[in-house]
Amino acid sequence: MKKILVLEDEVSIRSFVVVSLTRAGYDVIEAGTGAEAFEQLKIHPDIKVAILDIGLPDTDGFEVCRKIRTADPHMGIIMLTARTSEMDKITGLMTGADDYVTKPLSSLGEFSARVDALFRRIDVARPVDSGVFVQGPFRLNTMNREFEKDGNRIKLTEVEYAIMKMFMENSGKPILREDILNTVWGRDYFGEVKIVDVNIRRLRMKIEDDPTNPIYIITERGIGYKWGL
């Protein structure tokens, strides 16, 4: 059974989420504080996805997300954000989250579908071939999923890895934002296309010499993005 962590300090919301995921067939581990979440992650190292609320009594979900992402770049992370807070959504993605879901949760079906889609992305992202892309200062090994610049390892999340692989497979070709969304997040993804832009911003911070003047991930106005090598 697939194991998932739910970090939410409001008992009513946590119970709602837990019931939804349990009915969907997941083994749900609960936590009400950041400290409890880290303890559960130690007890259950096979947790593959974490649902993180932002407002917590001892820390905030962004800090929990940063620490999880530093320790495990492959774990799936979904942030629970306030419906009206655009900054919460962007901050969550910039700290390493793969997706966000707004509260109050209006549709159990959509929520479960987003979790299902994230698990599928994690499974698909596992090594399936032995291809190696070498372009400019970059090297992407699809067997061990290692990405390097000038011989130095750069840690990528599952989403970032999938985007980089798509870029390097289509070097020099403009790619629609919608095509990136469909390929990386799946055609059944319920979220907004701007999630692509936030992840591109995060990637630029990792790989560009000057993220404000990118020369590798180039914006194609009105279209999307192009890998410049």
Side-chain angles (χ1 to χ4, degrees), residues 5 48 62 67 70 76 131 136 154 157-158 162 169 191 203:
L5 172 70
K48 289 188 175 182
F62 301 135
K67 290 182 178 179
T70 298
I154 297 176
T157 67
E158 299 288 0
E169 288 175 335
L203 263 175

Side-chain angles (χ1 to χ4, degrees), residues 4-227:
I4 187 168
L5 172 70
V6 174
L7 172 57
E8 167 63 65
D9 65 319
E10 293 188 37
V11 176
S12 60
I13 296 177
R14 188 169 75 239
S15 298
F16 185 76
V17 172
V18 169
V19 169
S20 171
L21 294 174
T22 301
R23 288 177 177 172
Y26 291 104
D27 182 6
V28 185
I29 308 300
E30 300 181 50
T33 67
E36 288 178 7
F38 292 122
E39 185 63 29
Q40 292 292 359
L41 287 168
K42 291 180 182 177
I43 297 172
H44 304 277
D46 54 340
I47 290 173
K48 289 188 175 182
V49 168
I51 310 294
L52 308 178
D53 184 35
I54 294 174
L56 299 168
D58 60 338
T59 183
D60 63 56
F62 301 135
E63 183 62 22
V64 175
C65 180
R66 289 188 192 98
K67 290 182 178 179
I68 291 177
R69 185 55 74 218
T70 298
D72 185 356
H74 308 310
M75 181 174 290
I77 300 176
I78 297 177
M79 303 296 295
L80 293 176
T81 71
R83 183 176 298 278
T84 58
S85 179
E86 191 71 16
M87 185 55 64
D88 281 353
K89 299 173 184 177
I90 293 174
T91 303
L93 293 172
M94 289 302 292
T95 54
D98 299 289
D99 199 358
Y100 59 82
V101 175
T102 54
K103 297 190 295 183
L105 303 176
S106 57
S107 171
L108 283 176
E110 178 181 333
F111 177 66
S112 296
R114 303 246 315 236
V115 174
D116 291 342
L118 181 53
F119 266 101
R120 285 197 298 273
R121 289 202 297 276
I122 293 172
D123 291 339
V124 168
R126 298 307 177 196
V128 295
D129 59 59
S130 57
V132 176
F133 296 93
V134 179
Q135 296 172 5
F138 300 99
R139 184 177 187 272
L140 180 69
N141 187 322
T142 61
M143 174 60 75
N144 56 23
R145 300 183 63 263
E146 287 187 353
F147 182 69
E148 299 176 353
K149 179 182 180 182
D150 294 323
N152 298 312
R153 174 85 180 275
I154 297 176
K155 289 185 178 181
L156 300 180
T157 67
E158 299 288 0
V159 166
E160 291 165 349
Y161 167 79
I163 293 174
M164 282 308 310
K165 186 170 183 288
M166 188 177 184
F167 276 146
M168 297 183 86
E169 288 175 335
N170 296 276
S171 182
K173 301 177 183 177
I175 305 175
L176 294 173
R177 294 159 75 233
E178 291 77 7
D179 287 343
I180 297 174
L181 185 72
N182 291 335
T183 298
V184 176
W185 281 267
R187 294 186 177 276
D188 56 351
Y189 177 68
F190 288 90
E192 304 163 272
V193 72
K194 66 184 175 184
I195 196 172
V196 173
D197 302 322
V198 179
N199 277 275
I200 293 296
R201 189 190 314 172
R202 200 168 66 190
L203 263 175
R204 281 173 169 163
M205 292 175 66
K206 290 186 176 184
I207 73 170
E208 296 281 357
D209 297 324
D210 178 5
T212 63
N213 185 31
I215 61 174
Y216 301 118
I217 302 177
I218 301 168
T219 299
E220 292 286 307
R221 299 294 178 187
I223 299 175
Y225 300 96
K226 179 178 70 175
W227 180 239

